Amino acid sequence: MSERMQGYAPTTTHAEWGAGDPRLLISRDDQDRTVVHLTRDTVTIGSDGGCTVCLEGAAPLHATVVHDDRDEYVLTMHGPGLMNAYCPVDQHGARTETLRTGARFTVGEWMLVFSRAEFADHGRPYGGRQGGEGGHQSRQPERPDYPATGAIPTRLG
């Protein structure tokens, strides 16, 4: 059996690379809402005009989301903010987390939530649900109304 396991690299999805419309749902004060589709391999978030996503009140380069060679989206927080998981600070003062659907992080007053279709989210076993959970789980509240323009905003706020 160990001979068969050598070189075996299990995966949890058979989706195309970058599939599942990976995106960030960005909101502030339940009034400002937008969707940023992650179509680039590196997305920078901050208040600097050169950032992919400019957010008022953020550090000039507050966070980076990188689409890596494992088809994962990895968040690196360069500035202060809450993250979905506890992540120790590295030697450069940054914290890193692999994003899964529903992962939240804050940048100043902004809440950002990562979302990707379930079939392509590597964090879900076997690329999605395996039967019946909906039968014994209570329904979730409706999602807020995010504009789905498809365009990456140049400045929010």
Side-chain angles (χ1 to χ4, degrees), residues 6 38 56 65:
Q6 260 183 338
L38 302 178
E56 181 181 285
V65 176

Side-chain angles (χ1 to χ4, degrees), residues 130-147:
Q130 291 296 305
E133 292 121 338
H136 21 282
Q137 291 179 346
S138 57
R139 294 196 49 80
Q140 296 182 7
E142 292 296 318
R143 294 182 181 187
D145 184 26
Y146 286 89

Side-chain angles (χ1 to χ4, degrees), residues 24-111:
L24 293 173
L25 308 175
I26 304 173
S27 63
R28 177 176 68 168
D29 299 331
D30 286 337
Q31 295 175 4
D32 299 316
R33 291 191 175 126
T34 193
V35 176
V36 174
H37 298 272
L38 302 178
T39 58
R40 301 178 184 185
D41 286 336
T42 301
V43 172
T44 55
I45 303 167
S47 60
D48 184 84
C51 286
T52 312
V53 178
C54 293
L55 298 175
E56 181 181 285
L61 177 60
H62 206 107
T64 307
V65 176
V66 174
H67 186 195
D68 71 10
D69 58 358
R70 300 170 300 140
D71 194 27
E72 299 285 5
Y73 290 83
V74 180
L75 166 69
T76 301
M77 290 286 281
H78 307 287
L82 300 174
M83 294 175 69
N84 199 54
Y86 169 75
C87 300
V89 177
D90 70 11
Q91 67 270 19
H92 305 289
R95 297 170 291 152
T96 301
E97 171 186 0
T98 299
L99 297 174
R100 301 283 180 235
T101 294
R104 298 170 182 244
F105 60 99
T106 61
V107 172
E109 299 175 347
W110 299 91
M111 171 68 72

